[in-house]
Amino acid sequence: MGGSGTWSMLSAYPGLFAAAMPVAGNPSECDAKNVAATPILTVMGTSDKIMDVAIVRNFVNRLVVLQDDALLEIEEGWTHEVTCTESYTESRLDWVFGHRRGRF
């Protein structure tokens, strides 16, 4: 699943995931209140010709108002393809997998 699919899952199933890392995706059709139920770390590249950094920045700003665990990291010069392959660094994955949900 890509970044847009990740955003959509977070919107459709609020609070289901402990954390998420949508990469180079478009959240514009998502419900910010639903997405805010999950900690987010999203990554975008400044040279992405497929996804718009400004759209993601605006959406993340809305999430920050709703919750404080929403992060946007922008990589200078990264294209869509580079963002999709290089975003999964050890520190970012540690952030995602460092979150835990309560018991069901």
Side-chain angles (χ1 to χ4, degrees):
M1 169 175 20
S4 295
T6 302
W7 285 116
S8 293
M9 289 290 290
L10 297 169
S11 184
Y13 302 99
L16 178 64
F17 304 98
M21 189 177 141
V23 171
N26 183 349
S28 63
E29 299 297 318
C30 296
D31 181 321
K33 185 177 178 184
N34 286 355
V35 174
T38 305
I40 298 294
L41 168 59
T42 187
V43 184
M44 296 293 291
T46 60
S47 294
D48 191 328
K49 303 295 185 209
I50 298 171
M51 296 298 169
D52 188 343
V53 173
I55 289 171
V56 177
R57 181 182 291 122
N58 290 337
F59 192 81
V60 170
N61 288 341
R62 290 172 52 205
L63 295 178
V64 169
V65 170
L66 296 167
Q67 60 128 328
D68 63 352
D69 210 356
L71 305 170
L72 168 60
E73 295 186 2
I74 300 173
E75 296 289 352
E76 188 65 37
W78 281 16
T79 63
H80 186 78
E81 295 76 17
V82 171
T83 305
C84 290
T85 59
E86 300 299 318
S87 291
Y88 303 97
T89 63
E90 185 174 347
S91 64
R92 288 176 178 145
L93 292 174
D94 285 347
W95 183 91
V96 172
F97 293 114
H99 287 81
R100 299 285 180 263
R101 286 199 51 229
R103 297 181 75 194
F104 293 152

